[in-house]
Amino acid sequence: MTPGGAGVAQRHDQSTGGPAGLLGFGHEPGRAPGARAAVVDGPYGGNDGMYGPDDTAYGPVTAARTGDDGTGHGTPDLGAELASHTADEVLADYLHQQSADFLRSLRLHRESGSDAEGAGEAARQLRRAARRISATLYTFRPLTEEDWADQLRSELGWLSGTLAREQACAARRERLMTALQRLTGRGPERSDRGDRTGRGERAKRADRTPTAQAPSAASSSAASSASASDPDPDGALSAGAARAGALLDRQLTLARTRAHSAALQALGSSRFHAVADSVAVLASEAPLAGTTAELPADEALAPLAEQAHRRLADAVAALPLSRAGYPYNAAALAADQRQDAPWHQVRVLVRLSRYAREVIAPEADDLRLAEAGRALEWHRDAAEAAAAAAAAARTPRIAPATAYALGVLHADQRHEVEAARFAFGRVWLPRTPDRKG
């Protein structure tokens, strides 16, 4: 069976170009990163001084050295190891391994039956393998049969994004409920205090009063309206938190149910079976270009991996890290998709860079990339939770106290976005000695 006969359907509405469409990143596959961030010079001048003399995340991947590369992280000696293998040996071995993991996860998912936890774990492993196959086919595209690889990459992005939505809804609900409890500090002492002063009853009556249309969660009018009816902001927040939590629970549970149905429908579709057939072919026969077998791995793979690192370096250089490097800078408090998009794009490029490094140096994990990826996933989760709170606040006819609680929740999650950007900067930028006063 040839790769071209795997039957992968190419839909007209599926993007095949660029990393945003290939990985199903976030929970809306194919979302274009779109907006460009304003380039803000960092505290180290030029390219922010973060890459050392080689102007890359960790210097040339083929460099036969293990010392400090200017970022505080050593670079493993990859040259001799790669030179002893051909490009098709290294690339095919990695693709075979990830394809086998994909098929194994698919079998475990089918065998899980009514075990929801087992099915969820199998779906996560399925997505993990799909992301790595997609990223590898994208980064090393010139070494593959490009038409077939592009089709499979697109379909794996669709599958990964579809399977991610249910878990994303569950995690978002958990995050928002936890944040509400933390913000209100609900406990016996606060409840008794509210009952003794009578503020709890006044807030409950206010929460039962309908309004024509609730403003955005980020709007100050919701807060001022609730504050006018109750001079104690804590009382207003506690009064609206219960209804805000119930509203969010209802909306996110419905979204999770729909995502679960969509995932089941996708896994039973002919489109998914075509993807599985293609991955099965990939597990035994990687669709590589004919010249790949003749090229040494260090000459063919390392430059393409380095190209992925440079794309990441360019994207990070465009981020406003100089401002994000100051705590409590308030830069992320305004909810703006154009502001978040460059950070989401960097998260995808960090993932591509990590997976490229896995191919050429599977035993040499880059801790900085792993930490940066965790910070940017924190950023994505907080941004999407803030968007969910804002969407809930736009629900018609909610009470001012409910809108106020959602507004506070929205602001709290935007503060989390700011903290995640600060954490990313602390990971990415080199440490500098403290200045003496």
Side-chain angles (χ1 to χ4, degrees), residues 319-340:
L319 296 177
L321 288 184
S322 58
R323 183 170 183 180
Y326 293 97
Y328 309 110
N329 57 76
L333 297 188
D336 186 352
Q337 185 178 3
R338 292 172 299 176
Q339 177 195 138
D340 293 336

Side-chain angles (χ1 to χ4, degrees), residues 56 84 133 138 225 316 324 368 394 413:
T56 65
S84 62
I133 295 171
Y138 175 78
S225 173
V316 173
R368 185 175 67 143
R394 289 191 289 269
Q413 293 303 301

Side-chain angles (χ1 to χ4, degrees), residues 232-245:
D232 181 8
D234 288 342
L237 179 58
S238 297
R243 288 179 179 265

Side-chain angles (χ1 to χ4, degrees), residues 12-27:
H12 70 280
D13 58 346
Q14 290 291 320
S15 172
T16 60
L22 66 95
L23 288 174
F25 72 93
H27 309 297

